[in-house]
Amino acid sequence: MPRNVEIKARVSNLDAVRLRAAQLSNFPEKLIRQRDTFFQCDSGRLKLRFLEGEESQLIFYQRDDQEGPKLSNYHWADIGKPEVLENVLGLAYGVKGTVIKTRYLYLVGQTRVHCDQVEGLGDFAELEVVLRDDQTPEEGEVIAHELMAELGIFKEDVQSCAYMDLILKKNNSS
């Protein structure tokens, strides 16, 4: 099962983080426009990711909501007819909500650096340290913390929950 250690943080200057990530990356920046529809799921999180210009994906993952780095276990399948699947899953499980974002992806070593503009929430940086089979989550945390420092991401800006949860909290407080 694929695993990664993830850190998500609110950022005040996304352009500065993007510039630094581009300097650290050995690959060109990739622009990704995506819409994630989340479904009710008792044992983890289930989302259908619509990717502009690419095949969509159904993603199931398990991750604790906690401060700092989080271990994620995930599985995905490429989807050819996402609208049909979205309807079926919505009828079967119920739709929790939708997250729409523009993502700039950078690859820095074994880490995917996402610089996200999330509709209704603002700007965030997300680090996903993709663990090798022989690596521990603690090793991934060390990599994530080192990269946070290099990117100018501050510990006090780290978020403990997913974008979907932040949107639900915001909507419930309005």
Side-chain angles (χ1 to χ4, degrees):
M1 175 183 310
R3 305 171 302 143
N4 67 35
V5 171
E6 178 181 312
I7 290 179
K8 181 188 322 293
R10 189 173 292 278
V11 294
S12 59
N13 188 341
L14 190 64
D15 289 337
V17 176
R18 287 180 56 201
L19 178 62
R20 186 66 184 130
Q23 292 168 343
L24 294 170
S25 178
N26 291 324
F27 299 92
E29 168 188 87
K30 181 176 181 181
L31 171 64
I32 305 168
R33 297 187 198 284
Q34 59 190 52
R35 175 173 61 90
D36 293 341
T37 299
F38 284 80
F39 301 94
Q40 301 294 343
C41 183
D42 294 334
S43 63
R45 297 172 192 266
L46 182 64
K47 66 184 173 184
L48 181 58
R49 173 164 286 167
F50 291 80
L51 296 162
E52 185 178 283
E54 297 180 41
E55 197 165 43
S56 297
Q57 299 170 327
L58 182 65
I59 303 166
F60 171 75
Y61 65 99
Q62 295 173 307
R63 179 182 69 220
D64 293 330
D65 288 337
Q66 64 186 35
E67 292 298 324
K70 298 169 251 329
L71 179 65
S72 293
N73 296 301
Y74 58 96
H75 297 276
W76 78 92
D78 292 329
I79 303 299
K81 295 183 179 180
E83 296 83 6
V84 174
L85 184 59
E86 181 180 39
N87 184 50
V88 171
L89 290 173
L91 291 169
Y93 296 109
V95 173
K96 188 174 188 176
T98 302
V99 176
I100 299 170
K101 64 185 165 239
T102 299
R103 168 168 281 177
Y104 300 90
L105 170 65
Y106 306 89
L107 301 176
V108 179
Q110 68 189 87
T111 305
R112 294 185 298 244
V113 177
H114 302 147
C115 293
D116 294 338
Q117 296 171 309
V118 183
E119 195 172 289
L121 287 180
D123 296 340
F124 295 82
E126 185 177 89
L127 310 180
E128 292 180 350
V129 181
V130 180
L131 297 175
R132 296 186 312 264
D133 290 341
D134 65 335
Q135 282 183 301
T136 66
E138 293 77 20
E139 290 174 288
E141 288 181 29
V142 169
I143 294 168
H145 283 295
E146 289 172 354
L147 190 51
M148 278 177 61
E150 289 189 69
L151 293 171
I153 298 171
F154 305 104
K155 186 177 180 179
E156 60 268 16
D157 294 326
V158 172
Q159 305 293 301
S160 62
C161 59
Y163 294 138
M164 184 75 260
D165 298 327
L166 292 171
I167 288 172
L168 292 173
K169 284 180 189 178
K170 181 180 177 185
N171 291 343
N172 289 335
S173 67
S174 299

